[in-house]
Amino acid sequence: MDINVKDISKVYGAGENKVVALNHATITINEGDFISIMGPSGSGKSTLLHIISGLDAPTSGQVLYGDTDIHNGNDKELSAFRRQKIGFIFQQFNLLPVLSAQENIIMPLLLDKQQPNEAYLHEITRFLGIDTRLTHLPHQLSGGQQQRVAIARALIAKPDIIFADEPTGNLDSNSGGEVMKMLCDLRAKMNKTLVIITHDPRIAEMATRRFTIVDGVLSEVTAK
């Protein structure tokens, strides 16, 4: 499913307090794309990702998944759409501390009253090297292992697209490199669309399409 982001802006405040976080950003994300968006802190890259993924709403413009404008509906419909169609990987992991790794992974399915496909769960956790850690609580896992749990959670509902917001930002360079390689390999293995926000040029260069965002202005920099 292609995603068309049409002329979206995000404005906070008014008058002297007005801040333009996004300035008429337009991008088409084709099925199977691997896109990186790079920019300094405060450039608008996380705001862009949150709007495209439905976590935030634009001040103006449209985000179309196929023919569906995801911001033209109620919160319940949008929440269900996100759980079923979108996988999101956060910098902060966002694991529930009282749940085991496996319980964290399957939570999106349980919210839709579904049971996990055990073979698929085993496949992705074995690929990520956490299949022997599924009964552990988050505090019993290393940072790299927690992020792998978060990746498995993003994939468990077999989403059409995966968004990753600085997924290695809380990891050291070795763990971050391992996590990124696994994420890229999984994307290729499962033919998923991946959009990643980063400030690391090494990660940005892994993508097949590369964008920069500066002061809310989005530009593609991929060599033609």
Side-chain angles (χ1 to χ4, degrees):
M1 177 169 53
D2 293 347
I3 302 169
N4 287 297
V5 180
K6 297 185 175 182
D7 199 33
I8 60 171
S9 293
K10 183 68 175 183
V11 179
Y12 297 99
E16 294 182 356
N17 297 319
K18 180 179 178 181
V19 175
V20 180
L22 275 182
N23 192 358
H24 300 285
T26 294
I27 179 175
T28 297
I29 302 170
N30 301 306
E31 187 172 352
D33 269 349
F34 179 10
I35 290 173
S36 66
I37 303 173
M38 188 177 174
S41 296
S43 60
K45 58 186 187 296
S46 290
T47 300
L48 174 66
L49 200 70
H50 290 173
I51 290 173
I52 299 175
S53 63
L55 292 173
D56 196 3
T59 303
S60 60
Q62 287 183 305
V63 179
L64 299 174
Y65 281 64
D67 296 326
T68 302
D69 184 347
I70 65 168
H71 295 294
N72 187 25
N74 60 47
D75 289 342
K76 184 177 180 180
E77 291 170 339
L78 179 55
S79 294
F81 184 89
R82 283 200 308 262
R83 288 196 303 269
Q84 296 160 12
K85 300 293 185 181
I86 297 170
F88 205 106
I89 304 167
F90 300 89
Q91 178 179 339
Q92 302 291 339
F93 314 145
N94 285 3
L95 303 180
L96 295 173
V98 297
L99 299 184
S100 68
Q102 178 164 321
E103 289 167 335
N104 270 285
I105 291 168
I106 66 174
M107 181 56 64
L109 296 178
L110 299 182
L111 290 171
D112 279 330
K113 298 181 172 57
Q114 297 181 27
Q115 291 299 312
N117 179 316
E118 294 294 338
Y120 179 64
L121 173 64
H122 179 68
E123 177 187 2
I124 58 175
T125 55
R126 183 167 55 84
F127 190 96
L128 289 165
I130 53 172
D131 52 317
T132 63
R133 310 290 286 173
L134 295 181
T135 60
H136 290 67
L137 296 172
H139 77 270
Q140 297 172 314
L141 304 173
S142 69
Q145 289 170 338
Q146 289 185 62
Q147 192 59 297
R148 294 177 202 185
V149 170
I151 291 171
R153 178 184 58 193
L155 289 165
I156 194 65
K158 299 183 179 180
D160 294 328
I161 184 168
I162 303 163
F163 293 105
D165 190 356
E166 298 279 9
T168 64
N170 280 338
L171 305 176
D172 61 44
S173 58
N174 288 335
S175 295
E178 291 175 1
V179 165
M180 270 308 304
K181 184 179 186 307
M182 288 182 173
L183 181 57
C184 292
D185 288 347
L186 269 172
R187 182 206 74 84
K189 175 183 173 67
M190 298 179 178
N191 193 31
K192 296 292 184 184
T193 305
L194 173 62
V195 180
I196 185 167
I197 293 292
T198 185
H199 65 273
D200 188 335
R202 295 169 299 175
I203 293 175
E205 288 294 323
M206 294 179 182
T208 52
R209 294 180 65 199
R210 298 181 295 280
F211 290 76
T212 60
I213 186 166
V214 178
D215 294 333
V217 178
L218 182 69
S219 305
E220 184 162 8
V221 296
T222 311
K224 301 298 184 182

